[in-house]
Amino acid sequence: MRKNIVAGNWKMNKTLQEGVALATDLKNLLADAKPNCEVIIGTPFIHLATVAELVKDSCIKVSAENCADKESGAYTGEVSAAMVASTGAEYCIIGHSERRAYYHEDYDILREKVQLALAHGLKPIFCIGEVKEEREAGKQNEVVKAQLEGSLFNLSAEDFGKIVLAYEPVWAIGTGLTATPEQAQEIHAYIRGLVAEKYGQAVADDCSILYGGSCKGSNAKGLFANPDIDGGLIGGASLKAADFKEIIDAF
Ligand code: PGA
């Protein structure tokens, strides 16, 4: 069954102590009112083990924001999927547009990361989405199709079933511009159609497709009300427990 999910992406914010305080606040806020969706917090590597331990008896799950494209060895500064999994994290964000743009992560690198994450029992939250010029040229469908084919459609149906997709139009990330619910629904339905073509309708129906890009308490309800929008990947509004809770409450 397809899950509704609200996932935070802290990006490069919060010291260890600040991150622990934020996770504690969120845990307390959610303790009384059980959310109607899965709640995930995506944190920098340094927080993972501490935060995973902190939330282990709660409804909150933990995600990394990245993992290495190599199994192990002499890759100074990298963190492998096995290391991420050993912290207690269950998810791993892969293919965020910031990683694609600033760290030159191409389809091949992302395909490796997805395979390593799956091999170590992590569920990838795989991000796709077009930049502003591509949207203006009406190429958004082409772009997300190439991103799926380039990094995911080599997977077996069984492995694809472990993937959460996040459609994040790059022009909406951190800009305050949000895709309208109609724009988002249209491309989410297109993405689900691509998954159905490749893996069949049952796999497509089970696949959670999150929207990301300036999603906040005030627009979450309108977005999540659409049949193909199964939640959100939240950057800025995940940095305060009350703001994040407002989005969770949209379900
Ligand atoms: P934003 O970021 O909510 O701050 O726009 C979303 C994301 O990049 O995942």
Side-chain angles (χ1 to χ4, degrees):
M1 248 275 287
R2 193 194 304 178
K3 273 189 210 164
N4 289 326
I5 298 174
V6 173
N9 174 14
W10 292 358
K11 308 193 179 185
M12 197 174 75
N13 293 295
K14 306 287 175 191
T15 62
L16 178 58
Q17 292 74 17
E18 289 164 350
V20 166
L22 174 55
T24 306
D25 283 352
L26 186 68
K27 184 179 159 182
N28 292 340
L29 277 181
L30 297 180
D32 308 322
K34 202 179 164 303
N36 290 320
C37 61
E38 181 148 315
V39 175
I40 304 171
I41 46 183
T43 80
F45 293 128
I46 62 138
H47 299 84
L48 288 176
T50 315
V51 169
E53 177 65 26
L54 181 83
V55 301
K56 79 171 188 284
D57 300 319
S58 77
C59 61
I60 304 169
K61 310 247 192 275
V62 178
S63 175
E65 298 174 10
N66 182 27
C67 68
D69 62 336
K70 303 286 191 300
E71 178 72 46
S72 67
Y75 301 101
T76 302
E78 288 293 291
V79 174
S80 72
M83 293 171 182
V84 169
S86 74
T87 67
E90 283 180 46
Y91 289 89
C92 186
I93 299 171
I94 296 177
H96 192 280
S97 61
E98 289 149 18
R99 302 288 324 168
R100 292 179 193 259
Y102 308 147
Y103 303 98
H104 315 294
E105 296 189 357
D106 60 17
Y107 297 168
D108 297 339
I109 289 174
L110 296 175
R111 194 169 57 238
E112 292 300 319
K113 291 189 177 202
V114 167
Q115 274 167 349
L116 286 164
L118 288 169
H120 291 283
L122 295 168
K123 288 175 260 188
I125 301 173
F126 191 81
C127 305
I128 57 177
E130 79 287 356
V131 300
K132 186 160 161 274
E133 294 70 31
E134 291 164 338
R135 166 70 59 169
E136 283 167 356
K139 291 194 168 146
Q140 62 274 16
N141 287 4
E142 236 175 87
V143 170
V144 296
K145 183 168 193 248
Q147 290 169 333
L148 290 171
E149 288 176 347
S151 305
L152 291 186
F153 280 0
N154 59 303
L155 295 174
S156 66
E158 192 193 340
D159 276 344
F160 189 87
K162 298 168 191 153
I163 304 277
V164 173
L165 292 177
Y167 167 68
E168 300 203 299
V170 180
W171 48 272
I173 295 178
T175 57
L177 295 172
T178 318
T180 63
E182 294 72 25
Q183 281 175 323
Q185 166 56 27
E186 190 183 11
I187 193 157
H188 279 230
Y190 173 73
I191 292 164
R192 197 178 307 284
L194 293 174
V195 175
E197 249 171 58
K198 174 73 190 171
Y199 293 107
Q201 197 60 48
V203 172
D205 285 342
D206 274 356
C207 181
S208 298
I209 308 178
L210 315 184
Y211 168 80
S214 298
C215 185
K216 44 189 182 272
S218 56
N219 59 27
K221 231 185 193 141
L223 287 159
F224 300 171
N226 289 280
D228 290 297
I229 303 179
D230 309 310
L233 181 57
I234 319 298
S238 73
L239 296 174
K240 284 198 187 123
D243 293 351
F244 194 52
K245 168 84 162 39
E246 226 182 302
I247 299 172
I248 294 165
D249 286 345
F251 279 116

